Structures are given as structure tokens and as C-alpha cells.
Amino acid sequence: MPLRTRSLGLLALPALLLGAAAPAVADTPAVADTPAAHGGTTFRPDAAAAGWLARQLVDGDHLVTVYNGTSYPDQGLTADAVLAFAAAGSSDQAAARATAWLAAPENLTGYIGDGTTSAYAGATAKLLLTAEVRGADTATFGGVDLQARLRSLLTPSGRFSDRSQWGDYSNAFGQSLALLALQRTPGGAPAPAVDYLAAARCADGGFPVAFGQTACTGDPDATALAVQALAATGRTADARAGLDWLTAHQGAEGGFAPGGATTANANSTGLATEALLTGDRFGAGLKGWSRLLKFQQGCSADPAVRGAVAYDASGFNQATAVRATTQAVLGLSGRGLADLRADGARPTAPVLACPAG
């Protein structure tokens, strides 16, 4: 069976392992005053994380990044949240509001460019994939044909590149997302683009973030996305080489650290775990899944942060937890990006089930 079509039955898996994650108390409010307002309770780690994430949306429809004490709307992070909601199969009302916010022309243009003086490959690829997952009309999303825009950024080399006065900052993340998004379309992913990503693989099997570097250094985040993209486009051998690299670079405790770092974080662990579970590396995937549980805030935490995923083992920090949670949900759910759909997602955002009081 092709790598991209295999996924772990994660609704069954947490049921076996949740003894270490949450007490077996059914239908007990996690927050004594407003459980119904939050959409009920859940024992599922991915749904609890997605529920917390939904409650972080500013004005109920977008996420922000804080820089020098000022908050700025963050379209990319908001798109990550929409993908996380679909992966968890919950918080669909929040996902719908966030998708509508992304489609607003003033938000869309600032993210993917105006299509004339500026057009950004990675942002366009992520937004196209997000719209596809939501079942939106990608030909008219915010007044833009996202697929046509993305294909227009394909260069003769096979690389999807930015068109901007600021230069080209396209990288392996955007290339992988472009393949995942375009593989869903009738025309499929362009063969030169698939070849370009496959050729970027380092000699040891990992994939770098940046293309064209003198020294090829694998990165777990880039490798996790490349593995999924190459598996989806039929490049099984290249995908397996990436999976081999991930298993070889997994920490003893199951986590993953980005290139140059020694401490595992939830962002890298979430993406790598998703790739491992959808790539049939269940042993390594379960280790990653278990590590993500240790980053997640449980019933002993403040009720306001239960379900959230901390960036690393240093403890919960609101400034880093939102981004960490969006990517951790992908690993906790084990649902790959290649076949991700929002169909059937529950509308509400549940809280983590905990004993009363």
C-alpha cells in the first residue's frame, strides 16, 4: 500500500495509552463553570489541543504573532491552525471562521502577494492546501485562483520560487507544501518540481530547509514535510530514505530537535511524528506520540491551558505554545497532510476531560 494512504487508527490508539494522559472519568467537566460553552469534554489529546487552540483565536477568527510588544495578524499561523482543526476532527466552527478570515482580500494579499509585483511560493502553497482541506473553491478563494498562482511560480529548474523585490526566500517547506497541494488537483504535481525536491535530499537521507547550500544538512521539519510530499507523488524510495533519517535522528525520549539544537521541541516532534505514523514507522511514531503527550498540559495544569502543548520541557509559555500546539496536533492525530480533509469534523471546541474540582 502506498505510504501516503496508510494512517494509524488513532482513535483506538489513545484509548490504549490514555491511562497515562488523563483519568478515566467520562463526561466530567474540565472547567466547572463552562464546559458546555466550550463544546463538551474529550479524552483525546489531539481534540483537546485543538479545542484550546480554537480559544486562542483573536476575535474568533485569526491568530497573531507578537513582535516587540505589538501583535500582528499571522496568516501562516492561522492556516496552520485550520490544518490542525481538520487533523483533530474538531473545532470546525472555528476553522470555518479562520478560513473566511484568510479569504478576506486584505488578509490574503498581504500573505501571498498581489500576484504582480509580489507572489510568495510557500505562502501560496500553504493557503492552497488549507483551502483544499476545507473544501473551498480554490479558483476563487478571496478572488484569487490559488492553483494558477502557484503554478505560475514554477521555474524551469522545477523549483517554486518567490517573485518579489525583496528576493527569493522559497525553501523546502514551500516546495513540499506545493507538491502536496498540487497533487490533489486534476493536473497533479509537476514532475520537474517532484524531481527538484527529491534531488535536494542530502547524502544521509535527510532534507535541508534551504536549497543550494554548500553543505547539505538535514532538518527534521523539512524532512518530515518532504517525506509526505514525495510519498504522495509516488517517490516511495526517496520518502523511505527520509523516514530512515528521521528514525536515526530521533532522541531517546522520542522527541526531535531542529538542526543545530540538542533539545527536543513540540514543533519538530509533531511534524516528524506525523510523517513517521503515516509512513508506517509505527515504533518510532509511537515514541514521538508519547513524547508529545509529555509536552501537553494535563489536568494538573491551570484550567485555562489544559490541552495546550508546551514548546519544550522547560514548561508552558503562552508566547510559544500556540505555534507549538498547531504542529503538535498533527503528530497527536497521526493524520497525514496528503489526504487530510475537514469533512465530518465536530463543530465545537472541547476541553480536556478532568475530574470535577
Side-chain angles (χ1 to χ4, degrees):
M1 183 176 291
L3 290 176
R4 75 181 183 89
T5 63
R6 296 294 300 275
S7 62
L8 189 63
L10 285 138
L11 292 183
L13 174 64
L16 297 177
L17 301 182
L18 271 176
V25 179
D27 300 322
T28 301
V31 182
D33 54 348
T34 58
H38 291 315
T41 60
T42 182
F43 288 111
R44 286 177 41 197
D46 58 338
W52 179 83
L53 188 61
R55 290 185 287 279
Q56 309 315 300
L57 293 170
V58 176
D59 297 330
D61 60 11
H62 70 282
L63 294 172
V64 300
T65 291
V66 179
Y67 181 73
N68 284 342
T70 302
S71 295
Y72 299 93
D74 192 326
Q75 293 93 326
L77 186 57
T78 301
D80 288 338
V82 173
L83 296 176
F85 296 146
S90 68
S91 305
D92 196 59
Q93 292 174 341
R97 293 192 298 269
T99 303
W101 182 86
L102 287 166
E106 63 272 20
N107 299 323
L108 183 144
T109 300
Y111 181 50
I112 67 172
D114 60 17
T116 303
T117 61
S118 61
Y120 304 109
T124 306
K126 182 187 283 191
L127 196 57
L128 174 59
L129 179 62
T130 302
E132 290 171 334
V133 168
R134 290 295 305 164
D137 184 352
T138 63
T140 61
F141 193 84
V144 176
D145 186 334
L146 294 176
Q147 181 189 161
R149 173 77 64 85
L150 182 57
R151 290 186 184 276
S152 76
L153 299 177
L154 180 65
T155 64
S157 69
R159 177 175 177 173
F160 287 96
S161 295
D162 297 339
R163 185 168 64 244
S164 167
Q165 62 177 321
W166 310 113
D168 181 12
Y169 292 94
S170 60
N171 57 28
F173 295 154
Q175 189 81 9
S176 296
L177 290 171
L179 298 186
L180 285 163
L182 292 175
Q183 187 62 21
R184 294 170 175 249
T185 68
V194 180
D195 293 339
Y196 190 93
L197 180 61
R201 179 165 57 87
C202 302
D204 63 359
F207 287 81
V209 174
F211 294 128
Q213 300 299 303
T214 302
C216 190
T217 303
D219 174 83
D221 302 57
T223 301
L225 288 176
V227 160
Q228 295 188 68
L230 291 168
T233 53
R235 299 294 288 264
T236 305
D238 291 303
R240 285 179 174 159
L243 289 168
D244 290 341
W245 186 91
L246 286 173
T247 56
H249 287 77
Q250 185 174 32
E253 79 293 344
F256 288 84
T262 58
T263 302
N265 65 63
N267 301 54
S268 297
T269 303
L271 290 177
T273 298
E274 177 187 39
L276 290 167
L277 291 175
T278 58
D280 291 352
R281 303 299 176 94
F282 296 132
L286 288 174
K287 285 179 63 178
W289 190 87
S290 297
R291 184 59 177 153
L292 289 171
L293 283 187
K294 294 178 181 178
F295 289 135
Q296 189 167 32
Q297 305 304 290
C299 293
S300 62
D302 186 312
V305 303
R306 290 174 185 170
V309 179
Y311 174 72
D312 59 23
S314 65
F316 180 82
N317 182 339
Q318 179 73 28
T320 56
V322 172
R323 192 176 302 275
T325 301
T326 63
Q327 296 183 5
V329 168
L330 301 178
L332 288 171
S333 73
R335 296 181 65 186
L337 295 174
D339 301 307
L340 187 60
R341 295 283 190 281
D343 300 350
R346 293 182 178 275
T348 53
V351 295
L352 180 65
C354 295

